[in-house]
């Protein structure tokens, strides 16, 4: 598996924001979002370390950290991902989250987690209009989300917020899973997003700020 980064930090967002996590970042993505902050990991010439699922598991065990975030790039593009999930979910000490971009079908992975001794979770992006990639979204993924999963709407404009709210209502996301709004760093004021949430009575939708971009330089790697 093509690993471009592995490190321990805090989860900057999501249901375990502020908790320690071991991050495994994989090379490559099938999208090119306008606001991507890890574009370097998607370039053909990006350096990577080839690691087996067993080696990745061994690294995670060495960290002593229970939360695991598999990210990218797009982790579900790795052919060995089912093997890695079987390896990690056999370890009862771990809690595994997959950050996926919404443009990869998750049905087979959703079926796989029904077979495993423990359940990993999805944090699935939906790419809104300002991303330039909304046409790549697989809306059929919504039906495979469970109560511990998350849909993340990275927003940079009122148009983005309108689209996010439309999808939250259409797919009953607050009843199905967690729903988060996240500002594109430097593109929209969080206060304006809160005003929008109040104006639309967005119960059970959460605003999140990327904590790692507040604690460290927004462009710093390995955090």
């Amino acid at each position: 598996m093509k690993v471009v980064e592995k490190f321990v930090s805090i989860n900057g967002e999501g249901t375990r924001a502020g908790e320690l996590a071991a991050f495994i970042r994989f090379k490559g993505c099938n999208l090119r979002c306008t606001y991507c902050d890890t574009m370097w990991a998607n370039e053909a010439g990006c350096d990577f370390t080839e690691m087996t699922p067993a080696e990745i598991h061994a690294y995670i065990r060495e960290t002593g950290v229970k939360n695991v975030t598999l990210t990218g790039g797009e982790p579900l593009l790795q052919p060995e991902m089912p093997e890695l999930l079987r390896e990690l979910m056999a370890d009862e000490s771990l809690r595994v989250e997959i950050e996926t971009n919404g443009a990869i079908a998750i049905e087979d992975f959703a079926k796989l987690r029904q077979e495993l001794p423990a359940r990993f979770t999805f944090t699935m992006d939906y790419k809104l209009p300002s991303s330039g990639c909304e046409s790549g979204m697989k809306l059929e993924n919504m039906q495979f989300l469970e109560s511990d999963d998350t849909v993340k709407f990275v927003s940079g404009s009122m148009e983005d917020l309108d689209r996010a709210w439309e999808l939250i209502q259409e797919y009953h996301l607050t009843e199905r899973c967690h729903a988060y709004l996240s500002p594109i760093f430097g593109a929209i004021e969080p206060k304006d997003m809160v005003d929008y949430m109040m104006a639309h009575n967005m119960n059970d939708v959460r605003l999140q700020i990327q904590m790692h971009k507040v604690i460290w330089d927004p462009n710093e790697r390995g955090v």
Side-chain angles (χ1 to χ4, degrees):
M1 304 183 81
K2 295 179 172 58
V3 177
V4 296
E5 273 191 319
K6 58 186 192 299
F7 58 92
V8 172
S9 184
I10 59 163
N11 267 318
E13 50 193 339
T15 59
R16 295 193 176 275
E19 294 186 19
L20 288 177
F23 288 80
I24 309 294
R25 187 181 304 283
F26 296 98
K27 178 179 178 176
C29 188
N30 57 328
L31 298 180
R32 289 293 184 272
C33 296
T34 57
Y35 52 76
C36 181
D37 56 6
T38 53
M39 190 65 74
W40 61 270
N42 306 330
E43 301 300 335
C46 175
D47 290 336
F48 65 90
T49 301
E50 193 73 49
M51 297 182 71
T52 66
E55 288 170 336
I56 293 171
H57 185 200
Y59 164 75
I60 293 166
R61 291 287 293 182
E62 288 171 6
T63 70
V65 174
K66 294 181 179 181
N67 295 324
V68 179
T69 300
L70 306 178
T71 188
E74 170 49 58
L76 297 185
L77 291 175
Q78 298 293 314
E80 302 93 339
M81 186 55 65
E83 182 183 348
L84 176 61
L85 291 170
R86 290 187 182 95
E87 173 90 21
L88 297 182
M89 300 319 299
D91 186 337
E92 295 182 358
S93 71
L94 301 181
R95 298 183 291 241
V96 178
E97 169 195 15
I98 300 175
E99 292 188 338
T100 184
N101 64 16
I104 300 290
I106 66 170
E107 180 177 6
D108 289 345
F109 294 96
K111 290 177 180 177
L112 173 63
R113 73 172 167 182
Q114 305 299 324
E115 305 167 7
L116 298 176
R119 298 280 184 92
F120 58 87
T121 61
F122 294 108
T123 293
M124 188 183 77
D125 280 13
Y126 184 92
K127 305 302 184 186
L128 297 168
S130 66
S131 72
C133 291
E134 187 178 12
S135 62
M137 294 298 93
K138 293 189 177 295
L139 285 165
E140 61 270 24
N141 283 343
M142 299 294 190
Q143 66 184 296
F144 302 110
L145 298 173
E146 298 182 351
S147 59
D148 288 335
D149 296 325
T150 299
V151 178
K152 181 175 69 173
F153 296 96
V154 179
S155 308
S157 66
M158 291 300 115
E159 180 188 12
D160 284 351
L161 293 173
D162 285 341
R163 179 61 174 146
W165 184 222
E166 177 184 352
L167 290 161
I168 289 167
Q169 295 176 98
E170 180 178 355
Y171 290 95
H172 306 285
L173 292 181
T174 55
E175 300 168 26
R176 181 185 296 276
C177 62
H178 303 286
Y180 282 75
L181 299 177
S182 185
I184 297 174
F185 193 80
I188 190 171
E189 290 298 323
K191 177 184 180 300
D192 294 335
M193 297 178 72
V194 174
D195 289 342
Y196 185 97
M197 293 171 71
M198 291 190 295
H200 293 79
N201 202 28
M202 296 175 78
N203 288 307
D204 299 317
V205 177
R206 298 180 186 179
L207 174 69
Q208 65 177 7
I209 308 296
Q210 293 177 299
M211 293 173 61
H212 52 290
K213 292 188 177 181
V214 176
I215 299 171
W216 295 280
D217 183 285
N219 297 313
E220 188 164 346
R221 297 185 189 180
V223 294

